[in-house]
Amino acid sequence: NSSEMAVSPVVICFLTLISCSSTQPTPPPPRGCSVGVEPPYRVLCDLEAVWGVVLEAVACSGGLASLVLAVLLIIKLRVVSDPARRSGLGPLLLLLGTLLGIFTISLAFLVGKTQVLCVVRRAFWGPLFALCFSCLLVQGVRLRRLVAGKSSPTGSTLAALGLALALVQGIISAEWVLLTVVREGHPACEYPPLDFALMCSYTLGLLLIAMGLSLGVVLCGGEFGEDGGDGREEDREGENEKRRWKCNAVWVFLSSLASALLWVAWLGFYLYGSQALRGKGSRERGGNKDAKVLDEPALAVALVIQGWILLLFHAIPESHLCLQNPTQSDTQDFFDTSRASPAPHFGDEHPVHSHQSFQENQAFSMEEHSARNLSY
């Protein structure tokens, strides 16, 4: 017994050494990341995989630009006095808030997959895009009424309409997550890509309707009301306003067209190209090729590109067109011309007239004085 008790510590130390040598050491963090960063989040700081850092920088800059533009519009809200232009600020502010959410959630597609993150991705992808495309749709409705010479709904009404249209996609996404994850018990990170594409069909329908409305405004426009004027000047002003609203519709159509091309590209890659690459890799590794993961770089890239398309092709031009006031320039020119020509005329007329009358009175008084002296 004493020999067994003496040997047991040696055996324990030997087994401990074997277990320590058999365990694999934790991989060192990549260049740019500290030791405390978890492996799923190292793509955000890994300088060896530059695409993750670049995509993160582009997403953060887009979110910052959306926030700055939204704050600028809120500050300049009192400057816009024209009701027709003021009505476009409601959907525009809603779009900027949605773009901030899109740039933020794109970072969730870069990190590793967890159950919570995959639920967030699946739940917010469709509603955020539906909000963006519903804002484009209500802008198309607004521009169609304005080009036709009718009054536009208020900005709050248009924003509420956009929220109502996007709420349908929110219900669809919530039901999809509840049925697949909660009821059937499937992992949130594993799902058929075709189901994901079909879930976004309503969002794609909103985009196509917005593109059709904006194209109709650009090509066809509308007819002005018959109360618009018998005078030539009023007709000219109406044509200028119609041309301005068509310019807004051109930007809405360009943003819708670029978004549609992007969706065709990423859906084609996501349904066919990515699935072929995944199947080839699983056959080489002998793994399960039916496993569908959500954290693909294609989704993060699509989110960031879509956000910048809407920011550059719609949000910035629409903000510029809403904040400029053409009536102010006309009024300023009117006062400038009146100040340039009539004001000096009236200003010079009275002093000259009073000076001439003073000279005539002085000459008359001198002649009267000389005549009086001669009489004496």
Side-chain angles (χ1 to χ4, degrees):
N1 294 333
S2 61
S3 63
E4 291 178 359
M5 294 179 62
V7 173
S8 60
V10 178
V11 175
I12 293 173
C13 292
F14 181 71
L15 293 176
T16 304
L17 290 175
I18 292 176
S19 63
C20 292
S21 62
S22 63
T23 57
Q24 297 179 356
T26 58
R31 187 167 60 92
C33 297
S34 61
V35 183
V37 179
E38 298 293 331
Y41 302 97
R42 288 178 180 178
V43 69
L44 299 177
C45 59
D46 188 4
L47 296 180
E48 297 176 359
V50 189
W51 69 271
V53 180
V54 171
L55 194 62
E56 178 189 4
V58 174
C60 292
S61 61
L64 182 62
S66 302
L67 182 61
V68 170
L69 189 58
V71 173
L72 180 63
L73 286 176
I74 293 174
I75 293 175
K76 296 288 186 179
L77 191 60
R78 297 182 179 179
V79 179
V80 184
S81 58
D82 187 10
R85 296 184 180 275
R86 194 181 179 89
S87 62
L89 293 178
L92 187 56
L93 289 174
L94 180 61
L95 176 65
L96 290 173
T98 309
L99 289 180
L100 183 60
I102 283 181
F103 287 121
T104 303
I105 201 176
S106 64
L107 302 178
F109 286 87
L110 296 177
V111 299
K113 57 177 182 178
T114 61
Q115 187 75 4
V116 177
L117 281 177
C118 290
V119 169
V120 170
R121 295 167 183 173
R122 293 176 59 174
F124 285 95
W125 172 279
L128 286 176
F129 277 116
L131 271 175
C132 292
F133 299 150
S134 64
C135 290
L136 296 180
L137 193 150
V138 297
Q139 289 282 10
V141 174
R142 164 181 167 263
L143 293 174
R144 185 177 180 180
R145 289 183 60 86
L146 290 174
V147 169
K150 302 177 182 178
S151 61
S152 171
T154 60
S156 58
T157 304
L158 292 174
L161 179 60
L163 285 173
L165 292 174
L167 183 62
V168 178
Q169 181 61 48
I171 296 173
I172 295 173
S173 300
E175 289 183 352
W176 182 46
V177 173
L178 289 176
L179 288 176
T180 56
V181 178
V182 178
R183 184 175 179 180
E184 297 181 2
H186 296 295
C189 297
E190 297 179 2
Y191 70 97
L194 185 59
D195 292 352
F196 185 75
L198 291 176
M199 187 268 299
C200 299
S201 58
Y202 175 78
T203 302
L204 188 60
L206 292 178
L207 175 60
L208 294 178
I209 294 174
M211 184 169 60
L213 279 175
S214 58
L215 182 62
V217 173
V218 173
L219 297 180
C220 302
E223 297 294 335
F224 286 93
E226 296 182 356
D227 55 345
D230 299 330
R232 183 177 178 183
E233 187 69 24
E234 294 180 357
D235 293 339
R236 187 182 298 113
E237 291 178 359
E239 289 296 328
N240 292 333
E241 286 295 325
K242 183 177 180 180
R243 193 177 299 111
R244 293 190 190 102
W245 301 131
K246 280 191 174 184
C247 181
N248 291 48
V250 167
W251 287 109
V252 175
F253 173 71
L254 289 178
S255 58
S256 303
L257 180 61
S259 301
L261 294 177
L262 175 65
W263 271 64
V264 169
W266 84 260
L267 278 177
F269 174 78
Y270 188 69
L271 292 178
Y272 301 104
S274 180
Q275 187 175 1
L277 293 176
R278 190 186 299 112
K280 180 179 178 181
S282 62
R283 272 186 264 107
E284 291 177 354
R285 295 188 304 267
N288 184 14
K289 68 178 181 179
D290 293 331
K292 307 298 188 294
V293 295
L294 190 64
D295 56 342
E296 295 178 272
L299 296 178
V301 172
L303 276 167
V304 176
I305 294 178
Q306 179 65 79
W308 273 104
I309 284 176
L310 293 176
L311 189 62
L312 293 177
F313 285 92
H314 179 68
I316 295 177
E318 185 69 25
S319 301
H320 173 70
L321 294 172
C322 284
L323 290 180
Q324 72 175 3
N325 195 356
T327 58
Q328 184 178 359
S329 61
D330 297 339
T331 307
Q332 187 175 0
D333 294 339
F334 172 76
F335 283 112
D336 288 340
T337 54
S338 64
R339 192 185 299 114
S341 53
H345 175 72
F346 291 116
D348 293 340
E349 180 181 358
H350 294 288
V352 172
H353 178 72
S354 60
H355 182 65
Q356 291 178 354
S357 61
F358 175 75
Q359 289 179 350
E360 291 176 358
N361 292 333
Q362 187 176 8
F364 179 75
S365 61
M366 291 177 64
E367 290 177 357
E368 184 181 1
H369 180 70
S370 61
R372 191 177 301 168
N373 290 331
L374 289 174
S375 63
Y376 287 126

